[in-house]
């Protein structure tokens, strides 16, 4: 979720939203607009791209109004502003106009860093909107979405939703909103499966789960459906590798350890410890080694080492399912 600085007043003279997660950038902007319109329903909002903000444009937009109207000026992709326009913005930061809120959406990084530094030095309110590249970040996002609506969702349901929807934050947010609106009581993984069964079956993690459980036929069915619906083969090999590695990690962990302690040691959430424990019942050390080799061969096959990525994945799924019954 977006992180904010100590200055958390959406009506601060200047807000900078920094990062590459489009949904969070839009939400940061929308929060400012909502606060402005709550203070004045007639607030004028100007949403501009770099090519629309030419030298002198900002001065025109922020010049005193005869009617002292409240205004929000949003500048998207501020890192792409021209050098002359950046000079205008920096000058404005030193003396922002009353009743006007300037919102700069900036990707971060080296490009346009001088503008960011100037805004920070001027005391701008900052909202961090980093790209969510890790599954754990998306899982935390889903939990936050349910909390924001006052709804309760089980850890398994949150994980199932991430597995089913994937990495698109807008789709995850939409799915959370739909479930919160439609479902009474606690949202569990059965509810998620009922709403998103087609997508869940296409998930690379579903393929991996069925394979490490030794359910070859179901794993192959999920694999074919995943490929048919456009799941990238490399995502499937990644999920297979993660599933087998989780089995290996837990198999080598101290016996009798509590899930919470194992979670910290192995870098897994406690609910996943329980799931992997169920999945590893038929596994042996030799089986893990065989499965890891199968994943490595499949990975090479889907990355150009073979003529048929789908066949490489099928071989890996069958090998992993057999290894799951090696004990």
């Amino acid at each position: 979720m977006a992180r904010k600085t100590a200055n958390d007043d959406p009506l601060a003279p200047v807000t900078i939203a920094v990062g590459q997660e489009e949904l969070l950038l839009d939400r940061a902007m929308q929060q400012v607009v909502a606060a402005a319109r709550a203070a004045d329903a007639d607030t004028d909002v100007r949403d501009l791209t770099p090519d629309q903000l030419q030298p002198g444009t900002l001065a025109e937009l922020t010049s005193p109004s005869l009617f002292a109207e409240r205004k929000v000026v949003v500048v998207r992709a501020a890192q792409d502003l021209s050098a002359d326009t950046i000079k205008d913005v920096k000058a404005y930061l030193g003396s922002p106009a009353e009743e006007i809120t300037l919102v700069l959406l900036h990707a971060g990084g080296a490009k346009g860093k001088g503008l960011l530094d100037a805004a920070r030095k001027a005391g701008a309110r900052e909202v961090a909107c980093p790209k969510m590249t890790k599954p754990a970040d998306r899982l935390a996002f889903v939990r936050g979405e349910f909390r924001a609506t006052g709804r309760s969702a089980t850890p398994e349901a949150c994980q199932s939703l991430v597995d089913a929807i994937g990495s698109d934050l807008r789709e995850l947010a939409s799915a959370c909103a739909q479930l919160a609106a439609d479902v009474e009581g606690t949202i569990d993984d059965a509810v998620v499966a009922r709403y998103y069964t087609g997508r869940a079956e296409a998930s690379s993690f579903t393929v991996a789960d069925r394979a490490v459980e030794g359910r070859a036929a179901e794993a192959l069915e999920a694999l074919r459906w995943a490929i048919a619906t456009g799941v990238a083969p490399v995502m499937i090999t990644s999920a297979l590798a993660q599933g087998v590695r989780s089995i290996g990690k837990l198999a080598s962990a101290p016996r009798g350890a509590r899930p919470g302690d194992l979670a910290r040691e192995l870098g897994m959430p406690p609910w996943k410890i329980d799931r992997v424990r169920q999945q590893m019942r038929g596994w042996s050390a030799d089986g893990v080694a065989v499965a890891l080799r199968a994943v490595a061969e499949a990975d090479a096959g889907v990355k150009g080492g073979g003529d048929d990525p789908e066949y490489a994945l099928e071989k890996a799924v069958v090998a992993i399912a057999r290894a799951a019954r090696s004990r």
Side-chain angles (χ1 to χ4, degrees):
M1 297 178 67
R3 300 189 299 275
K4 300 165 188 171
T5 59
N7 175 14
D8 196 22
D9 179 8
L11 293 181
V14 181
T15 287
I16 50 174
V18 186
Q20 299 180 29
E21 193 62 70
E22 291 295 333
L23 174 66
L24 300 185
L25 290 167
D26 280 347
R27 285 185 173 181
M29 178 268 289
Q30 290 163 6
Q31 183 190 32
V32 173
V33 172
R37 285 182 169 158
D40 181 352
D42 295 325
T43 294
D44 181 22
V45 178
R46 302 296 180 92
D47 192 342
L48 306 170
T49 56
D51 61 300
Q52 294 173 310
L53 194 66
Q54 299 297 321
T57 305
L58 184 61
E60 293 176 12
L61 292 173
T62 58
S63 59
S65 168
L66 184 63
F67 303 101
E69 64 178 353
R70 182 177 290 277
K71 186 180 295 183
V72 175
V73 178
V74 180
V75 180
R76 297 182 180 272
Q79 72 279 357
D80 295 330
L81 290 172
S82 69
D84 288 338
T85 303
I86 286 177
K87 289 179 183 178
D88 287 352
V89 177
K90 287 181 177 180
Y92 177 81
L93 293 173
S95 182
E98 293 185 9
E99 301 297 315
I100 292 178
T101 299
L102 175 65
V103 182
L104 302 174
L105 308 185
H106 195 294
K111 188 176 184 181
K113 186 174 182 298
L115 178 59
L116 269 186
D117 291 342
R120 287 165 174 157
K121 186 176 181 180
R125 169 179 177 262
E126 182 169 352
V127 182
C129 306
K131 193 73 174 175
M132 293 191 181
T133 57
K134 298 178 181 178
D137 292 338
R138 294 191 286 273
L139 187 60
F141 173 80
V142 167
R143 289 171 178 161
E145 290 295 288
F146 284 126
R147 281 197 300 270
T149 60
R151 301 303 309 278
S152 175
T154 66
E156 294 82 4
C158 294
Q159 183 64 53
S160 294
L161 194 59
V162 172
D163 290 348
I165 301 298
S167 61
D168 190 312
L169 240 57
R170 291 187 188 278
E171 293 194 24
L172 282 171
S174 176
C176 291
Q178 180 181 23
L179 290 170
D182 291 358
V183 179
E184 296 182 0
T186 299
I187 297 165
D188 58 22
D189 54 348
V191 169
V192 174
R194 186 166 71 247
Y195 271 72
Y196 299 99
T197 181
R199 299 187 68 159
E201 288 170 1
S203 164
S204 55
F205 290 101
T206 300
V207 178
D209 284 342
R210 299 297 86 80
V212 299
E213 290 162 4
R215 297 154 65 178
E218 293 178 39
L220 287 171
E221 181 182 359
L223 171 64
R224 288 162 188 153
W225 181 259
I227 291 172
T229 53
V231 177
V234 69
M235 297 297 294
I236 299 173
T237 55
S238 176
L240 290 171
Q242 183 177 325
V244 175
R245 282 198 297 266
S246 295
I247 297 288
K249 284 181 180 179
L250 195 55
S252 61
R255 293 183 178 274
R258 294 179 300 178
D261 295 334
L262 285 174
R264 286 188 293 273
E265 182 178 344
L266 302 179
M268 300 180 190
W271 65 265
K272 190 170 184 179
I273 297 292
D274 294 334
R275 176 185 286 184
V276 176
R277 272 180 170 163
Q278 294 174 355
Q279 293 173 334
M280 65 182 287
R281 289 172 182 165
W283 284 88
S284 66
D286 288 342
V288 172
V290 168
L292 287 173
R293 284 196 297 271
V295 171
E297 291 173 2
D299 189 55
V302 303
K303 291 180 178 177
D307 296 328
D308 190 341
E310 184 174 345
Y311 176 64
L313 286 169
E314 288 180 355
K315 281 181 61 180
V317 164
V318 170
I320 293 168
R322 286 176 179 169
R325 296 291 177 258
S326 59
R327 179 176 293 177

